[in-house]
């Protein structure tokens, strides 16, 4: 079994990598939040449209059965 070598990392290099990861995930989370916001709006519009179509269909069916 091979032994893993530990490499010395300069603290400033580690800090720079950590900061880059934080920026990456922050931007990714913001993009995902924006997509959720947009899709939620679309779902609301489609639900309202569906309710309208269902109401019109129910009214038409009630008119035909009367």
């Amino acid at each position: 079994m091979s032994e893993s070598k530990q490499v010395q990392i300069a603290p400033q290099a580690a800090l720079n990598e950590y900061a880059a990861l934080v920026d990456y995930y922050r931007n990714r989370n913001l993009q995902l939040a924006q997509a959720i916001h947009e899709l939620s709006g679309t779902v609301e519009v489609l639900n309202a449209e569906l309710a309208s179509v269902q109401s019109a269909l129910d009214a038409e069916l009630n008119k035909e059965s009367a």
Side-chain angles (χ1 to χ4, degrees):
M1 191 177 221
S2 66
E3 293 182 29
S4 63
K5 289 184 178 181
Q6 286 192 335
V7 178
Q8 292 294 326
I9 305 295
Q12 188 62 42
L15 181 61
N16 290 342
E17 287 299 311
Y18 177 76
L21 279 174
V22 167
D23 286 342
Y24 170 79
Y25 284 116
R26 181 183 300 123
N27 289 333
R28 181 175 154 231
N29 287 346
L30 287 172
Q31 289 173 350
L32 291 172
Q34 180 64 29
I36 289 169
H37 176 73
E38 292 169 1
L39 290 172
S40 294
T42 300
V43 167
E44 287 179 23
V45 168
L46 291 174
N47 278 334
E49 186 179 330
L50 178 60
S52 174
V53 169
Q54 284 176 330
S55 295
L57 179 60
D58 288 343
E60 188 65 30
L61 290 173
N62 288 336
K63 186 167 63 169
E64 289 178 4
S65 66

